[in-house]
Amino acid sequence: MKNRWMYPENWEELALACKEQAGWCCEHCGIGHGELAVSERTGVVYTVYLAAAHLDHDPWNPAPRLAALCPSCHGRYDYSWQERQRWLELEVYRHRLLVDAYQGDELEEWA
């Protein structure tokens, strides 16, 4: 686990409760914890270990929204979240350019 210091002290309990509530199956694709799977990317067979994934990407939250996800679904979820973040940053930038252009035109009218 990366940055363990960011997680609440009772993280192990939260993660276990998440997986038990999901019936020890991935909440996106349904594969069970401990089952064998084949990597779509490499073709390698591996054992699935579920992770309690932060749906809001907030590991510091003492009461996070979690989902039990297999490695493949967890990776896809994180990637889609990162894509949404990049899109949002782009929209903020575009908005700032429009506001700046509008304010520039408005200032020129007053001159």
Side-chain angles (χ1 to χ4, degrees), residues 2 4-6 9 11 26-27 31 40 42-44 49 53 62 76 81-82 89 91-92 94 96-97 99 108:
K2 289 165 79 175
R4 175 63 178 100
W5 58 271
M6 293 177 67
E9 289 183 21
W11 172 248
C26 177
E27 294 184 51
I31 194 166
E40 296 171 5
T42 64
V44 172
Y49 295 101
R76 278 193 290 274
W81 183 83
Q82 290 168 354
E89 289 171 12
E91 287 300 308
V92 167
R94 291 175 59 203
R96 183 78 254 156
L97 289 176
V99 168
E108 288 174 11

Side-chain angles (χ1 to χ4, degrees), residues 22-76:
W24 290 92
C25 292
C26 177
E27 294 184 51
H28 286 190
C29 72
I31 194 166
H33 181 81
E35 290 184 30
L36 295 179
V38 179
S39 170
E40 296 171 5
R41 191 172 53 85
T42 64
V44 172
V45 176
Y46 66 96
T47 303
V48 172
Y49 295 101
L50 294 178
H54 286 87
L55 297 178
D56 298 321
H57 293 88
D58 56 350
W60 54 88
N61 186 348
R65 286 187 329 119
L66 301 173
L69 299 180
C70 70
S72 294
C73 292
H74 196 172
R76 278 193 290 274

